[in-house]
Short mmCIF file of all heavy atoms in Angstrom, two decimals:
data_model
loop_
_atom_site.label_atom_id
_atom_site.label_comp_id
_atom_site.label_asym_id
_atom_site.label_seq_id
_atom_site.Cartn_x
_atom_site.Cartn_y
_atom_site.Cartn_z
N ILE A 837 94.55 110.34 115.77
CA ILE A 837 94.71 109.28 114.87
C ILE A 837 95.77 108.35 115.31
O ILE A 837 96.88 108.76 115.71
CB ILE A 837 95.06 109.83 113.44
CG1 ILE A 837 93.94 110.75 112.91
CG2 ILE A 837 95.24 108.66 112.45
CD1 ILE A 837 94.30 111.40 111.67
N LEU A 956 93.10 105.85 104.91
CA LEU A 956 94.37 105.84 105.53
C LEU A 956 94.86 104.40 105.87
O LEU A 956 96.05 104.11 105.72
CB LEU A 956 94.29 106.64 106.83
CG LEU A 956 95.68 106.77 107.65
CD1 LEU A 956 96.75 107.25 106.82
CD2 LEU A 956 95.42 107.69 108.88
N HIS A 994 100.60 110.07 97.80
CA HIS A 994 99.84 109.75 99.01
C HIS A 994 98.60 110.53 99.04
O HIS A 994 98.53 111.71 99.55
CB HIS A 994 100.72 109.97 100.24
CG HIS A 994 100.03 109.64 101.45
ND1 HIS A 994 100.07 108.32 101.97
CD2 HIS A 994 99.14 110.23 102.24
CE1 HIS A 994 99.37 108.26 103.09
NE2 HIS A 994 98.83 109.41 103.30
N PRO A 995 97.44 109.94 98.61
CA PRO A 995 96.18 110.66 98.75
C PRO A 995 95.71 110.59 100.21
O PRO A 995 95.78 109.55 100.97
CB PRO A 995 95.25 109.85 97.81
CG PRO A 995 95.83 108.49 97.81
CD PRO A 995 97.35 108.65 97.95
N VAL A 996 95.04 111.71 100.66
CA VAL A 996 94.45 111.74 101.96
C VAL A 996 93.04 112.41 101.73
O VAL A 996 92.87 113.44 101.05
CB VAL A 996 95.22 112.71 102.93
CG1 VAL A 996 94.47 112.86 104.25
CG2 VAL A 996 96.64 112.13 103.13
N SER A 997 91.98 111.83 102.32
CA SER A 997 90.64 112.36 102.20
C SER A 997 90.33 113.05 103.60
O SER A 997 90.69 112.54 104.62
CB SER A 997 89.58 111.34 101.86
OG SER A 997 89.49 110.33 102.89
N THR A 998 89.64 114.18 103.50
CA THR A 998 89.20 115.02 104.64
C THR A 998 87.74 115.27 104.45
O THR A 998 87.34 115.94 103.52
CB THR A 998 89.97 116.24 104.79
OG1 THR A 998 91.37 115.94 104.83
CG2 THR A 998 89.62 116.97 106.08
N MET A 1010 84.86 119.32 110.71
CA MET A 1010 85.80 118.39 110.16
C MET A 1010 85.67 117.10 110.97
O MET A 1010 85.48 117.05 112.13
CB MET A 1010 87.21 118.94 110.21
CG MET A 1010 88.26 117.99 109.75
SD MET A 1010 89.96 118.62 110.11
CE MET A 1010 90.15 119.89 108.97
N CYS A 1027 89.71 115.40 98.68
CA CYS A 1027 90.85 114.52 98.57
C CYS A 1027 92.05 115.32 98.11
O CYS A 1027 91.99 115.99 97.06
CB CYS A 1027 90.59 113.38 97.56
SG CYS A 1027 91.91 112.14 97.55
N THR A 1028 93.12 115.29 98.83
CA THR A 1028 94.38 116.00 98.43
C THR A 1028 95.41 114.84 98.24
O THR A 1028 95.43 113.79 98.86
CB THR A 1028 94.85 116.94 99.55
OG1 THR A 1028 94.97 116.23 100.81
CG2 THR A 1028 93.81 118.02 99.73
N CYS A 1029 96.42 115.18 97.40
CA CYS A 1029 97.49 114.27 97.07
C CYS A 1029 98.74 115.08 97.21
O CYS A 1029 99.02 115.95 96.36
CB CYS A 1029 97.34 113.70 95.66
SG CYS A 1029 98.33 112.31 95.35
N ASP A 1030 99.57 114.73 98.26
CA ASP A 1030 100.81 115.48 98.51
C ASP A 1030 100.45 117.04 98.58
O ASP A 1030 101.02 117.92 98.05
CB ASP A 1030 101.82 115.27 97.46
CG ASP A 1030 102.23 113.79 97.33
OD1 ASP A 1030 102.25 113.13 98.35
OD2 ASP A 1030 102.44 113.32 96.29
N GLN A 1031 99.38 117.29 99.40
CA GLN A 1031 98.88 118.63 99.72
C GLN A 1031 98.41 119.35 98.52
O GLN A 1031 98.25 120.65 98.54
CB GLN A 1031 99.95 119.50 100.42
CG GLN A 1031 100.34 118.99 101.86
CD GLN A 1031 101.32 117.83 101.78
OE1 GLN A 1031 102.48 117.97 101.32
NE2 GLN A 1031 100.90 116.68 102.27
N LYS A 1032 98.01 118.74 97.45
CA LYS A 1032 97.42 119.34 96.25
C LYS A 1032 96.04 118.69 96.07
O LYS A 1032 95.85 117.49 96.20
CB LYS A 1032 98.31 119.22 95.04
CG LYS A 1032 99.61 119.90 95.17
CD LYS A 1032 100.45 119.76 93.89
CE LYS A 1032 101.80 120.50 94.06
NZ LYS A 1032 102.61 120.35 92.82
N ILE A 1053 88.78 123.04 101.18
CA ILE A 1053 89.94 122.73 100.50
C ILE A 1053 91.20 123.20 101.22
O ILE A 1053 92.19 122.40 101.38
CB ILE A 1053 89.93 123.35 99.06
CG1 ILE A 1053 88.80 122.74 98.19
CG2 ILE A 1053 91.30 123.17 98.37
CD1 ILE A 1053 88.58 123.37 96.85
N SER A 1054 91.15 124.46 101.72
CA SER A 1054 92.33 124.94 102.47
C SER A 1054 92.59 124.12 103.74
O SER A 1054 93.77 123.75 104.07
CB SER A 1054 92.02 126.39 102.91
OG SER A 1054 93.10 126.93 103.67
N ARG A 1055 91.51 123.70 104.51
CA ARG A 1055 91.72 122.99 105.67
C ARG A 1055 92.14 121.53 105.33
O ARG A 1055 92.94 120.90 106.06
CB ARG A 1055 90.40 122.90 106.52
CG ARG A 1055 90.00 124.26 107.11
CD ARG A 1055 88.67 124.19 107.79
NE ARG A 1055 88.24 125.48 108.36
CZ ARG A 1055 87.08 125.68 108.87
NH1 ARG A 1055 86.19 124.65 109.06
NH2 ARG A 1055 86.78 126.89 109.35
N ALA A 1056 91.67 121.01 104.24
CA ALA A 1056 92.04 119.65 103.84
C ALA A 1056 93.51 119.56 103.47
O ALA A 1056 94.14 118.53 103.69
CB ALA A 1056 91.09 119.21 102.64
N GLU A 1057 94.06 120.60 102.87
CA GLU A 1057 95.40 120.62 102.49
C GLU A 1057 96.27 120.61 103.72
O GLU A 1057 97.31 119.91 103.86
CB GLU A 1057 95.75 121.89 101.60
CG GLU A 1057 95.18 121.80 100.28
CD GLU A 1057 95.31 123.10 99.48
OE1 GLU A 1057 95.66 124.16 100.08
OE2 GLU A 1057 95.11 123.16 98.21
N GLU A 1058 95.94 121.31 104.77
CA GLU A 1058 96.59 121.25 106.04
C GLU A 1058 96.54 119.97 106.68
O GLU A 1058 97.47 119.41 107.20
CB GLU A 1058 96.12 122.41 107.05
CG GLU A 1058 96.25 123.81 106.47
CD GLU A 1058 95.62 124.83 107.39
OE1 GLU A 1058 94.98 124.44 108.38
OE2 GLU A 1058 95.67 126.02 107.04
N GLN A 1059 95.28 119.39 106.70
CA GLN A 1059 95.07 118.07 107.31
C GLN A 1059 95.87 116.98 106.54
O GLN A 1059 96.30 116.10 107.18
CB GLN A 1059 93.60 117.75 107.36
CG GLN A 1059 93.24 116.37 107.95
CD GLN A 1059 93.46 116.39 109.47
OE1 GLN A 1059 93.82 117.35 110.08
NE2 GLN A 1059 93.22 115.18 110.07
N GLY A 1060 95.88 117.14 105.28
CA GLY A 1060 96.63 116.13 104.47
C GLY A 1060 98.12 116.07 104.79
O GLY A 1060 98.68 114.98 104.94
N ALA A 1061 98.64 117.25 105.04
CA ALA A 1061 100.14 117.31 105.44
C ALA A 1061 100.26 116.70 106.77
O ALA A 1061 101.28 115.90 107.03
CB ALA A 1061 100.56 118.75 105.47
N LYS A 1062 99.39 116.86 107.77
CA LYS A 1062 99.41 116.26 109.08
C LYS A 1062 99.34 114.79 109.03
O LYS A 1062 100.07 114.00 109.64
CB LYS A 1062 98.42 116.85 109.99
CG LYS A 1062 98.54 118.34 110.31
CD LYS A 1062 97.41 118.81 111.23
CE LYS A 1062 97.58 120.26 111.53
NZ LYS A 1062 96.45 120.78 112.33
N VAL A 1063 98.38 114.28 108.25
CA VAL A 1063 98.16 112.80 108.13
C VAL A 1063 99.36 112.14 107.43
O VAL A 1063 99.80 111.07 107.87
CB VAL A 1063 96.85 112.55 107.38
CG1 VAL A 1063 96.70 111.03 107.09
CG2 VAL A 1063 95.67 112.99 108.23
N GLN A 1064 99.87 112.75 106.40
CA GLN A 1064 101.03 112.20 105.70
C GLN A 1064 102.26 112.11 106.58
O GLN A 1064 102.96 111.10 106.61
CB GLN A 1064 101.33 112.98 104.42
CG GLN A 1064 102.39 112.33 103.56
CD GLN A 1064 102.47 113.05 102.23
OE1 GLN A 1064 101.69 113.97 101.88
NE2 GLN A 1064 103.46 112.62 101.33
N CYS A 1065 102.44 113.15 107.41
CA CYS A 1065 103.54 113.14 108.37
C CYS A 1065 103.38 112.02 109.43
O CYS A 1065 104.37 111.32 109.77
CB CYS A 1065 103.66 114.49 109.07
SG CYS A 1065 105.02 114.66 110.27
N LEU A 1066 102.16 111.86 109.86
CA LEU A 1066 101.85 110.84 110.86
C LEU A 1066 102.10 109.46 110.26
O LEU A 1066 102.69 108.54 110.91
CB LEU A 1066 100.40 110.91 111.25
CG LEU A 1066 99.88 109.88 112.25
CD1 LEU A 1066 100.61 110.06 113.63
CD2 LEU A 1066 98.35 109.99 112.45
N LEU A 1067 101.73 109.21 108.96
CA LEU A 1067 101.97 107.91 108.34
C LEU A 1067 103.48 107.66 108.20
O LEU A 1067 103.95 106.53 108.40
CB LEU A 1067 101.22 107.86 107.02
CG LEU A 1067 101.42 106.54 106.22
CD1 LEU A 1067 100.95 105.33 107.10
CD2 LEU A 1067 100.59 106.54 104.97
N GLN A 1068 104.21 108.66 107.77
CA GLN A 1068 105.63 108.49 107.62
C GLN A 1068 106.33 108.16 108.87
O GLN A 1068 107.23 107.34 108.93
CB GLN A 1068 106.22 109.76 107.00
CG GLN A 1068 105.86 110.05 105.60
CD GLN A 1068 106.13 108.94 104.62
OE1 GLN A 1068 107.16 108.30 104.70
NE2 GLN A 1068 105.23 108.68 103.74
N LYS A 1069 105.88 108.71 109.97
CA LYS A 1069 106.42 108.37 111.31
C LYS A 1069 106.17 106.95 111.64
O LYS A 1069 106.95 106.24 112.24
CB LYS A 1069 105.82 109.30 112.38
CG LYS A 1069 106.41 110.74 112.30
CD LYS A 1069 105.78 111.62 113.44
CE LYS A 1069 106.37 113.03 113.44
NZ LYS A 1069 105.87 113.81 114.51
#
Side-chain angles (χ1 to χ4, degrees):
I837 301 173
L956 182 52
H994 182 89
V996 176
S997 64
T998 306
M1010 179 191 284
C1027 183
T1028 58
C1029 193
D1030 300 324
Q1031 291 82 65
K1032 295 181 180 179
I1053 294 173
S1054 178
R1055 292 177 183 175
E1057 290 173 348
E1058 295 175 0
Q1059 179 69 5
K1062 293 179 182 179
V1063 172
Q1064 189 169 354
C1065 182
L1066 178 66
L1067 179 55
Q1068 292 303 322
K1069 288 182 178 179

